Amino acid sequence: MTKSHILFLNVTGIVMFLLLWEVGGRIAGENLLAAPSIVVFEYIRLLFAGDMLRELVGSLRQMFVGFGLACAIGMPMGALMGRIRLVDALVHPWVSMVVVTSAAALAPIFILMFGTGFEFRVAIVFVSSFGYVTLTAYHGARGIDPKIIDVARSYSTGPVETYRKVILPALFPYLITGARLGLVHATRAMVMAEMFVLVGYGGLIFQTGQDLSTAPLISYLVTLMFVSVGANMGLGWIGRQLAPWYDSKMSAG
Amino acid sequence: MSHTSGAAALERSGDIARMRMRDIFSSSWLLYLLSVCAGLLLWHSISTQLPGVIFASPFAVAEHLVGAMAEGDLPARFLNSVRHMLLGLVLALLVAVPLGMLMGRNETVFHMCNPVMTALFAVPSVAFVPFLILWFGIFYEARVALVFVMCFFDILITVTAGARNIEPRVIQAARSFGANRRIMFFGVLMPASYPFLMTALRIGSIRAINGMITAELFFAAVNLGEYMEDASAVFDSAAMLSVVFLLSLFGLLVQELVKWSEAKLLPWHVRD
């Protein structure tokens, strides 16, 4: 299938989706499902009104603190778990537990512990992205081909050099993938936490849900989608820039 | 001569000792126990630093769990929660699995649906809550709908990726032996799909459990959500942590169950 053929199918799919949405929106009415023709104008209005972008930037800043912490702790921990069996055995059950724990169930407890401000959101984002970052780094570290480490050893490379020149580059694609996965969950957690305490961007979403028209609500969701897709593509781009072997390593899955 | 063999024997006994140590350390049950104890100890030491109303110790949580279990209130609520979770999960599986297979095996359908599905997947499912309130109210239907939305896209993405990655050589081999469409579907494509269908089931059920408690906290507070809100109103952190602990344990159990049945049912599919 040629590239132009694929592009044609992509565009056809999007147009069909928009048409269906338009028809559905016309039938259901603006207060149940605003049609895209209405949403476009509302979106442009909100974009220039400034509220949407201001809240978004504020929320994202807090999210990145939690997400950064999760990466800073999760990546080395995952790497250690993958290389040292005892660490793996001690930590793995709890990391699995963190992964399956629902962030929403933790929200009421975290409110008691941290209040509803900055720390609360950082903690929720941290807990829900930490597990994914750690486990991806773990799988990367475990899957390092022993042969390449043997080669380094037979050239009598020291442990620090081996780590810097062999293990870290082999791990790198997994760290980026873990960050991409973690970011998806960080965004989910951020919106959930903010909807719960009615602050920031999530609060905006929840409160506009009570409006008569669903057009602003859909506009907020569209922005969220752009941010999420953009961040994911950005991380992929960074991965390719920093490690040209990223794609070849990750194309399998 | 005797000297060297003695040294070798010594070395061997050292090896054996080391091996025995390794056996002890790699005996998974002991390590598992050690890990659980270490975690509980850490939890306990953190909880002693904080006031009890904010963060209960594991002993307080255990005490609360035993009491609530004996009373029968908590298990009854749990069962009620699981009921709407199961309905949402089954509905999501019924829609997402065929759609994912279609998207995975048909290039035209894939390229038509992929951009829209990626865009919808990028929106956090919780953000659909205001819509679900408008469409389904705040009771049973809304809870099922949220569970559906929360696991639908994860299942769809997993199934699509899995179906696209079915080894082409397997299909080519079947074709060169003249397999007809029926054999191709039941004899080749279906067995090749079981592994990623299991993965989809595992991810979907974790998401569904997540959706279940989210729904109960965001819509009308019922079952476990009500239990948590009541506990938070009186600053009973032991009760709240009990619910979280129970949910995590349940999620872990479901995940291990799916993994275990995968190993039993699909022994040819090796996973680390």
Side-chain angles (χ1 to χ4, degrees):
Chain A
M1 209 176 270
T2 59
K3 224 168 192 169
S4 60
H5 194 174
I6 290 174
L7 193 69
F8 169 74
L9 286 176
N10 283 347
V11 173
T12 317
I14 294 170
V15 169
M16 269 173 60
F17 175 74
L18 287 177
L19 274 178
L20 267 177
W21 177 6
E22 180 74 41
V23 172
R26 289 277 168 86
I27 295 169
E30 201 182 329
N31 53 355
L32 277 184
L33 179 72
S37 53
I38 303 169
V39 173
V40 170
F41 293 110
E42 182 66 26
Y43 190 79
I44 293 169
R45 191 186 69 75
L46 284 170
L47 209 59
F48 286 106
D51 255 16
M52 177 167 74
L53 291 183
R54 198 180 56 238
E55 291 288 354
L56 182 70
V57 170
S59 295
L60 284 182
R61 199 177 295 150
Q62 305 203 345
M63 185 191 86
F64 274 110
V65 175
F67 177 63
L69 274 177
C71 287
I73 299 175
M75 284 174 176
M77 184 176 257
L80 279 181
M81 280 164 63
R83 302 307 309 170
I84 304 169
R85 192 169 293 166
L86 184 66
V87 177
D88 180 31
L90 281 182
V91 180
H92 208 133
W94 293 94
V95 174
S96 313
M97 191 132 176
V98 169
V99 167
V100 300
T101 301
S102 113
L106 283 173
I109 295 173
F110 279 15
I111 289 176
L112 273 187
M113 287 170 74
F114 302 109
T116 57
F118 175 71
E119 294 91 342
F120 164 67
R121 282 182 269 179
V122 169
I124 287 272
V125 169
F126 174 80
V127 168
S128 41
S129 52
F130 170 74
Y132 291 93
V133 174
T134 309
L135 281 189
T136 317
Y138 161 76
H139 284 300
R142 252 191 75 162
I144 293 177
D145 194 341
K147 269 181 284 184
I148 62 171
I149 294 171
D150 287 345
V151 170
R153 189 176 294 153
S154 58
Y155 280 98
S156 67
T157 318
V160 177
E161 284 282 276
T162 308
Y163 185 77
R164 214 167 61 81
K165 294 202 168 148
V166 179
I167 294 182
L168 215 54
L171 208 54
F172 199 81
Y174 290 92
L175 297 185
I176 293 285
T177 307
R180 287 169 92 163
L181 202 60
L183 198 61
V184 171
H185 289 270
T187 319
R188 287 174 174 177
M190 175 195 79
V191 173
M192 192 281 301
E194 291 184 339
M195 283 174 74
F196 205 83
V197 293
L198 294 181
V199 291
Y201 199 75
L204 213 57
I205 290 177
F206 202 77
Q207 275 155 348
T208 44
Q210 276 123 24
D211 285 1
L212 274 178
S213 167
T214 50
L217 175 59
I218 295 176
S219 304
Y220 293 140
L221 296 190
V222 169
T223 307
L224 208 54
M225 178 204 87
F226 281 137
V227 168
S228 183
V229 171
N232 200 0
M233 280 164 70
L235 272 176
W237 183 80
I238 291 172
R240 274 187 293 278
Q241 291 299 307
L242 294 179
W245 58 93
Y246 179 64
D247 267 337
S248 66
K249 188 81 191 172
M250 282 299 145
S251 59
Chain B
M1 187 68 198
S2 72
H3 177 75
T4 48
S5 74
L10 245 176
E11 202 173 275
R12 205 172 304 130
S13 75
D15 269 0
I16 288 167
R18 211 171 303 136
M19 269 164 70
R20 209 164 276 157
M21 280 297 280
R22 202 177 297 155
D23 276 354
I24 290 170
F25 273 115
S26 64
S27 69
S28 51
W29 276 109
L30 196 77
L31 273 177
Y32 207 81
L33 206 70
L34 195 67
S35 160
V36 170
C37 288
L40 288 178
L41 207 68
L42 185 71
W43 176 0
H44 181 71
S45 60
I46 291 174
S47 72
T48 50
Q49 304 295 315
L50 293 165
V53 289
I54 290 182
F55 195 63
S57 77
F59 300 108
V61 170
E63 201 182 307
H64 181 92
L65 266 180
V66 170
M69 282 296 177
E71 217 173 273
D73 182 35
L74 199 55
R77 282 169 189 269
F78 204 90
L79 274 182
N80 269 332
S81 297
V82 169
R83 202 169 299 150
H84 76 243
M85 178 207 93
L86 275 182
L87 183 58
L89 177 63
V90 168
L91 285 176
L93 282 171
L94 282 180
V95 182
V97 169
L99 192 59
M101 291 299 266
L102 192 66
M103 274 177 72
R105 295 314 305 169
N106 188 319
E107 284 288 298
T108 307
V109 176
F110 175 77
H111 289 297
M112 274 177 82
C113 296
N114 193 35
V116 174
M117 287 304 165
T118 313
L120 287 176
F121 180 67
V123 179
S125 320
V126 186
F128 290 115
V129 162
F131 268 118
L132 299 181
I133 292 178
L134 285 174
W135 294 338
F136 298 104
I138 54 169
F139 296 107
Y140 189 73
E141 296 86 353
R143 294 202 297 275
V144 174
L146 184 63
V147 171
F148 177 87
V149 171
M150 278 187 81
C151 50
F152 175 76
F153 291 107
D154 290 73
I155 295 173
L156 184 68
I157 299 268
T158 313
V159 173
T160 305
R164 268 176 83 77
N165 287 335
I166 290 178
E167 183 68 65
R169 271 176 299 181
V170 179
I171 293 164
Q172 282 157 11
R175 193 171 293 148
S176 59
F177 279 105
N180 58 23
R181 289 182 79 89
R182 210 173 61 88
I183 293 178
M184 189 68 112
F185 184 78
F186 288 104
V188 180
L189 281 179
M190 258 182 38
S193 310
Y194 293 147
F196 65 78
L197 289 181
M198 284 303 224
T199 310
L201 180 65
R202 186 164 53 84
I203 293 174
S205 39
I206 297 292
R207 287 289 288 166
I209 295 169
N210 202 328
M212 154 185 124
I213 186 70
T214 310
E216 288 175 351
L217 285 165
F218 272 97
F219 302 123
V222 288
N223 303 335
L224 291 176
E226 190 187 22
Y227 197 83
M228 283 197 86
E229 302 232 311
D230 287 350
S232 102
V234 294
F235 299 106
D236 187 356
S237 68
M240 289 156 78
L241 278 172
S242 302
V243 174
V244 175
F245 192 72
L246 220 56
L247 281 170
S248 300
L249 216 60
F250 182 58
L252 220 54
L253 208 70
V254 169
Q255 179 172 295
E256 292 307 314
L257 199 71
V258 175
K259 274 189 191 165
W260 179 80
S261 51
E262 186 181 343
K264 287 279 158 206
L265 295 173
L266 317 169
W268 69 86
H269 181 245
V270 188
R271 191 197 289 283
D272 72 296

